[in-house]
């Protein structure tokens, strides 16, 4: 199932090299805070945090092009960990 999350980076992307093939990997946290209107006022809900991992092509561009606080849209698959 494909998911889309729009939020802000909670940290600068961290670029690493993994595997014997030197495959690039970037990780970062993403914060999403839902908003709703109550009595004519916008109210923030509880912030949800996501840990994002991108392997291969594009990992270096993410690391070079984004920083903490930037707003992004992430499209991909989700794996739940406890």
């Amino acid at each position: 199932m494909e998911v889309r999350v729009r939020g802000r980076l909670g940290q600068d992307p961290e670029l690493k090299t993994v595997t014997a093939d030197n495959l690039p990997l970037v990780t970062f946290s993403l914060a999403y805070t839902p908003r709703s209107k109550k009595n004519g006022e916008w109210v923030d809900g509880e912030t949800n945090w996501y840990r994002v991992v991108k392997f291969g092509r594009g990992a270096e561009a993410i690391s070079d092009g984004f920083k903490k606080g930037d707003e992004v849209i992430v499209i991909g698959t989700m794996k739940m960990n406890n």
Side-chain angles (χ1 to χ4, degrees):
M1 168 175 50
E2 182 180 276
V3 296
R4 296 170 189 239
V5 179
R6 179 181 178 175
R8 295 194 178 272
L9 273 65
Q11 67 185 62
D12 289 338
E14 184 178 338
L15 184 65
K16 302 175 184 176
T17 303
V18 295
T19 76
D21 299 331
N22 292 324
L23 183 68
L25 160 80
V26 69
T27 61
F28 58 90
S29 58
L30 182 72
Y32 165 72
T33 305
R35 301 185 86 205
S36 60
K37 211 169 198 181
K38 293 183 182 176
N39 302 323
E41 298 283 331
W42 285 104
V43 178
D44 288 342
E46 185 176 335
T47 300
N48 298 295
W49 286 93
Y50 301 90
R51 185 80 178 145
V52 180
V53 178
K54 167 72 173 138
F55 287 93
R57 194 177 71 204
E60 290 157 337
I62 291 169
S63 176
D64 292 340
F66 295 99
K67 65 183 182 316
K68 179 180 178 178
D70 286 348
E71 186 175 37
V72 297
I73 297 173
V74 174
I75 302 169
T77 56
M78 185 179 293
K79 178 181 175 185
M80 300 293 289
N81 292 330
N82 291 332

